[in-house]
Amino acid sequence: MDPRASLLIRPAGEFAPDVIARASGSWLETVDGRRVLDFTSGQICATIGHNHPRIAEAIRRSLDDVSHLNSRLLSEPVLALAERLADLMPAGLDRSLFLSTGGEVNEAAVRMAKLATGGFEVVGLTHSWHGMTSGSQAVTFSAGRRGHGPTAPGIFALPAPYAYRCPVRHCAGTCDQTCLEVGFELYDQQSVGAPAAVIAEPVLSAGGVLVPPPGYFSRLIELAHERGMLFILDEAQTGFGRLGAMFGMDVYDIVPDFVTLSKTLGGGIPVGAVGTTAEIEQAAYDRGFMYLTSHQADPLPAAAALAVLDVVAEEDLVRRAAARGERLGRHLRELCERHEVIGDVRGMGLLWGVELVADRDTRRPALEFGDAVTDACHGCGLSLNITRGRSGGATACLRIAPPLTVTDDEIDTAAEILDQALTSTPAPS
């Protein structure tokens, strides 16, 4: 029997056909020796490539020193990481809470916002992904909402800035933020007067790599603050160079009330952080904030995170991501010109989406074709991820996010494999 069949829960769809034996940089190697380019960076966590020697060194050192402590006890790596993040963040965002996953840090940020404001209403964007813990799943609208019963009370959705499929049937390819204004008007009509927070990603990755237009976040923060809501920016997938800038907030020139970090912080090791201001921290603390986990502020993941920050700085990965991203984007736009099945290409830095359609005029999603292309790519040595918009409107978008250490040759190879897969896969009917 295939040992994979004994696993209790499978991710969306079926497991990939190969079993991975080892990984290094942008490459995976299967148990039978086949090499596969990983253009998903694992779960978009292997920011600096798989098994970077600096991560391995940090883990070994932590195992020799201290890897786990009671959450009331502090260690040198945790203190150093808090100081490093405070130096990287905009002025004022100098308080950090360290947890394990993106779902946990978003959950903690939402709880802090509720305490600091005294409200309980939280607004997210459709097509968003913020995690699968109870509170984070409640404001995740791209998938996973159905069949589990009611979510937390006081949850509202704003139409995402999805210009290719305008949610208010208004824009034609360029978002003019009507969706944002309409969304807050709808919230106002439904609110019971207990505003707490708005949460959003700089680029809505799992929802199809949706890139908000210039000025979108400035206006969102303005509308949130007018209502007494705090703004949480979920940088789980965009922090530390992914977009060709250190953070997504740098791209949009904004300063949120909370920044949540996870995936890209640990380089493959689970670690997350909530960053906020001293004022918000104090208000939440005075009102009884509590969020404890068994691995809060553990030394080992903090040491790994410090290694990631060192490599990002020393190897100039932010600048490299911007340059490699331009190369990748050029390849994808060229593929769009040659393949009618590509309806839209969007992204920045090293996070790109390729939306597949059965017909460019009707923009009908090419769902089965997208699955077939993904399988064909994997068979030819390229691992891609397809987002399908499983909650509220189907889409078929290839999400492309290689490690920031990816080379020009690897990008060129990936583009060739994708071109081959698009060409050889039977066109959607």
Side-chain angles (χ1 to χ4, degrees):
M1 185 180 81
D2 186 338
R4 288 170 292 190
S6 63
L7 293 174
L8 176 62
I9 299 295
R10 304 182 185 188
E14 295 297 319
F15 288 110
D18 296 307
V19 176
I20 306 303
R22 58 187 58 83
S24 178
S26 300
W27 293 90
L28 311 175
E29 185 177 331
T30 69
V31 291
D32 57 1
R34 198 168 72 90
R35 298 183 76 223
V36 179
L37 258 178
D38 182 9
F39 267 46
T40 67
S41 297
Q43 205 76 19
I44 312 192
C45 300
T47 313
I48 59 174
H50 288 284
N51 287 34
H52 195 288
R54 293 288 287 276
I55 296 286
E57 178 188 351
I59 292 172
R60 282 193 293 268
R61 186 170 59 249
S62 187
L63 292 174
D64 288 339
D65 296 336
V66 57
S67 59
H68 168 73
L69 291 170
N70 184 290
S71 298
R72 292 183 64 252
L73 300 176
L74 292 173
S75 64
E76 289 184 348
V78 166
L79 293 171
L81 182 58
E83 186 175 355
R84 287 283 291 278
L85 290 180
D87 289 341
L88 289 172
M89 294 285 181
L93 293 174
D94 55 6
R95 295 294 191 273
S96 291
L97 170 67
F98 297 117
L99 300 168
S100 298
T101 68
E104 287 181 332
V105 294
N106 286 326
E107 183 105 14
V110 166
R111 292 191 188 191
M112 291 180 71
K114 289 180 177 181
L115 285 171
T117 61
F120 65 87
E121 294 175 348
V122 182
V123 176
L125 298 182
T126 58
H127 296 273
S128 60
W129 181 281
H130 297 295
M132 287 287 104
T133 60
S134 179
S136 298
Q137 186 270 335
V139 289
T140 291
F141 290 99
S142 64
R145 296 190 63 81
R146 296 173 182 172
H148 307 107
T151 66
I155 301 300
F156 301 85
L158 298 176
Y162 192 175
Y164 186 70
R165 301 182 185 276
C166 178
V168 295
R169 307 298 189 269
H170 172 72
C171 299
T174 303
C175 177
D176 68 0
Q177 304 180 36
T178 296
C179 55
L180 182 59
E181 304 291 336
V182 169
F184 270 100
E185 289 176 8
L186 290 173
Y187 163 71
D188 290 340
Q189 294 174 49
Q190 299 171 80
S191 171
V192 298
V198 178
I199 184 169
E201 305 159 85
V203 173
L204 284 77
S205 176
V209 191
L210 308 181
V211 182
Y216 180 89
F217 281 107
S218 296
R219 180 60 177 155
L220 187 153
I221 292 172
E222 182 179 26
L223 291 168
H225 286 175
E226 285 176 0
R227 290 158 174 77
M229 310 175 93
L230 298 175
F231 178 53
I232 304 167
L233 189 65
D234 180 354
E235 294 259 17
Q237 299 190 37
T238 56
F240 309 108
R242 171 64 63 191
L243 300 182
M246 182 60 74
F247 298 106
M249 58 184 163
D250 299 331
V251 174
Y252 300 106
D253 193 24
I254 57 171
V255 179
D257 300 298
F258 294 89
V259 175
T260 56
L261 307 164
S262 56
K263 292 177 179 289
T264 58
L265 177 60
I269 299 300
V271 61
V274 181
T276 191
T277 66
E279 179 183 9
I280 292 172
E281 178 206 33
Q282 191 65 50
Y285 176 81
D286 290 344
R287 293 167 187 168
F289 174 73
M290 178 178 177
Y291 197 97
L292 292 174
T293 74
S294 298
H295 296 283
Q296 181 176 330
D298 261 354
L300 188 152
L306 286 168
V308 169
L309 298 183
D310 287 341
V311 172
V312 168
E314 293 168 10
E315 299 187 11
D316 200 12
L317 292 186
V318 174
R319 184 193 60 80
R320 285 177 56 184
R324 299 290 193 275
E326 290 180 6
R327 188 183 192 91
L328 178 57
R330 283 197 303 273
H331 277 302
L332 298 177
R333 287 188 288 268
E334 289 169 2
L335 291 176
C336 185
E337 292 176 1
R338 298 205 309 276
H339 295 279
E340 283 288 319
V341 76
I342 297 179
D344 194 29
V345 171
R346 50 188 178 256
M348 64 175 71
L350 285 172
L351 180 59
W352 287 86
V354 176
E355 183 155 351
L356 303 176
V357 294
D359 184 283
R360 281 191 176 181
D361 292 330
T362 64
R363 301 186 179 183
R364 179 165 56 90
L367 300 174
E368 293 181 0
F369 179 84
D371 290 337
V373 167
T374 304
D375 291 343
C377 284
H378 190 89
C380 293
L382 174 64
S383 177
L384 295 178
N385 167 241
I386 188 164
T387 66
R388 296 180 59 107
R390 289 178 291 275
S391 293
T395 59
C397 183
L398 298 173
R399 180 173 55 175
I400 302 173
L404 306 192
T405 51
V406 68
T407 66
D408 287 344
D409 287 345
E410 290 167 347
I411 289 173
D412 295 345
T413 298
E416 291 173 6
I417 293 174
L418 178 55
D419 188 16
Q420 177 183 343
L422 291 167
T423 301
S424 61
T425 302
S429 57

